[in-house]
Structure formats: structure tokens, C-alpha cells
Amino acid sequence: MSGSRSATMFLYGNGIFTTLAVVDGKPFLWEKHWRRLLDNAAKLELDLSQHAERAVLGVVAESVAQNKIENGRARITFFDESPSEIWGGFGADKTSLSILTAGPRAISNSFKLTVSPHLVNSTSPLAGIKSCNYLNHLIAFEKAKGRGFDEAVRLNERGDVASACMANVFWAKGGRLFTPSLKTGCLAGTTREYVLENLDCEEVEAGIDALRAADEIFLTSAGIGVVSVSALDSKKKQYSGHPITKLLPF
């Protein structure tokens, strides 16, 4: 992009994305991902009218085939290339599409979780939106990695468990399954939705003590599937083969 043109994506991170699992060469839970993209675009007033669902799915399939991704991931990003009212620029409003593909993420056999000091703001206009303005998530993730952990739990401004940096959180206690309510500011993950459709699970607003007392903790996302947590800080967690760990085909 030349200095004579401004775009709100490059200046302000105005865009949305989703990462979907590729299973046997095909997108998994495509309908859920597309529905969330449309919902998030509407909330940010991002125009997707030039990107028909069938055409986008075709581009994803082509990229998966070209890169020979049998089992892995695909990221779909829509970003706003409209001129900025603040910095000027020229040209018509435009929403562009980017597709990235990759193999599966490497997951530790002993997945360690900590608590992040970086809070989720449930009152933010971006709460619950998978926006390209993602640096808060990435900073929290990298800080946890730098301390020797694989991920971190993030609380909201009220002290409720909201999510991990890049995943949703579930936990089991006394034979019951729980996950944070969307009121906490967590993302409505597609894998989260799939779990709720297939298992009895209570959506709650609960503090970190609920996780510390949990029998098992699980993280879910399209990028990692379902991961059983081996420890929260210094407290080890059991693994009992809970049904959530057998729910996905990857």
C-alpha cells in the first residue's frame, strides 16, 4: 500500500477472521464458521456483499487442494480496504479476502495452563468478535509461553473466567461439564458451539476458584481441537477420557 492511500485495516485492524479445521481435505463445521463471519461482519459494518458463500468456499477448497492439506487448518480473513476518514486516501470502499492454510498445530503431551494477568473487557465493542485487532490475545499468549506454559486462562474485569488466549475453556467437576457464559466476553467459538450441541454442559459465570477445584480442564478451538490440560499452574489435573475428548474427528 503506497503512502498516498490509507485503509482502515492497516491503520486500525478493521477486519474479521475465522480459523477452521480441515479434515480429510474438507472444511469442518463450515456452516458455523460462515454464520459467525456474517454475524461479526454485521457488527463491524463490514460489507461482505461481494463475497458469496459458495465462492469463498470454492477459494478455500482450491487453496487446501493446492497446498495438499489433508488434515490441518485454513484461515479466512476479510479486511476493510476503505479509505480512512481521518487520514484520507482515495478509491471506493472495498472488503478483501485472504486465505491461509497450514498443517495442524503442534500440541504438547503435557499441556500446562496458567492464569494471565491481562483481562478480557466484556464491555468492549469487540467482545465476542473474532476481529483482526487481535494483539491483546497474542500478547497474553506469548507472555504465557515465555513463562513456560502452553496457554493461559483470561479473566474478565469482574473476575469471571472468560476464555484462554486463543481457545474456549471447559471444565468437569463431579460428573458435570461447565463453560463460561457468553456474558463473560468470551468468543462464541464454533467448536464450543459443537460441544454444547452434543454434550450436556452448563454455561456459567464463575471465578478462577472453579477452575482450580475442577477435576479436569479442557481447551477447545478449530486450531487445536479438544486439549486436556495436565496442570493449572502447579496444580495437576486428571485425565479420565471424558466424552468431550472423543467428540471431534481430529
Side-chain angles (χ1 to χ4, degrees), residues 20-39:
L20 54 85
V22 176
V23 180
D24 296 330
K26 297 180 180 179
F28 183 65
L29 300 181
W30 168 261
E31 293 81 7
K32 294 184 187 299
H33 284 278
W34 184 252
R35 184 173 67 246
R36 187 176 65 188
L37 284 168
L38 292 179
D39 178 70

Side-chain angles (χ1 to χ4, degrees), residues 14 28 34 48 54 58 68-69 84 87 90 103-104 110 126 152 154 164 190 208-209 216 219 226 238 243:
N14 189 15
F28 183 65
W34 184 252
L48 300 188
R54 181 174 294 183
K68 299 180 180 179
I69 306 296
S84 165
W87 286 99
F90 61 89
S110 181
L126 294 179
R154 297 182 69 195
T190 56
I208 192 62
D209 286 346
E216 297 178 84
L219 300 189
V226 177
Q238 68 183 40

Side-chain angles (χ1 to χ4, degrees), residues 15-16 34 37 46 48 51 56 76-79 95-97 132:
I16 57 173
W34 184 252
L37 284 168
L46 191 64
L48 300 188
H51 299 280
V56 175
I76 303 169
T77 306
F78 288 106
F79 53 95
T95 302
S96 296
L97 168 67
C132 291

Side-chain angles (χ1 to χ4, degrees), residues 32-184:
K32 294 184 187 299
H33 284 278
W34 184 252
R35 184 173 67 246
R36 187 176 65 188
L37 284 168
L38 292 179
D39 178 70
N40 286 183
K43 289 177 179 177
L44 295 183
E45 298 183 352
L46 191 64
D47 183 11
L48 300 188
S49 62
Q50 295 183 344
H51 299 280
E53 177 182 2
R54 181 174 294 183
V56 175
L57 181 57
V59 176
V60 172
E62 182 180 0
S63 181
V64 166
Q66 285 181 347
N67 294 306
K68 299 180 180 179
I69 306 296
E70 187 66 18
N71 293 289
R73 300 161 287 157
R75 171 172 163 148
I76 303 169
T77 306
F78 288 106
F79 53 95
D80 189 1
E81 287 197 288
S82 302
S84 165
E85 292 185 6
I86 297 174
W87 286 99
F90 61 89
D93 291 352
K94 179 183 178 183
T95 302
S96 296
L97 168 67
S98 170
I99 305 293
L100 295 174
T101 58
R105 280 178 57 186
I107 303 298
S108 171
N109 291 327
S110 181
F111 199 93
K112 296 180 294 183
L113 196 62
T114 188
V115 180
S116 174
H118 305 294
L119 303 180
V120 171
N121 180 4
S122 68
T123 69
S124 167
L126 294 179
I129 296 176
K130 200 153 187 177
S131 160
C132 291
N133 200 319
Y134 209 66
L135 197 54
N136 279 335
H137 302 269
L138 186 60
I139 289 173
F141 181 76
E142 293 295 344
K143 292 287 188 181
K145 296 284 282 187
R147 293 168 53 205
F149 294 93
D150 297 289
E151 248 279 18
V153 174
R154 297 182 69 195
L155 311 179
N156 66 15
E157 75 282 2
R158 300 186 300 274
D160 301 322
V161 174
S163 66
C165 304
M166 297 185 177
N168 287 111
V169 179
F170 288 81
W171 65 93
K173 178 66 176 179
R176 299 168 64 192
L177 187 65
F178 303 90
T179 196
S181 161
L182 295 181
K183 294 178 182 178
T184 64

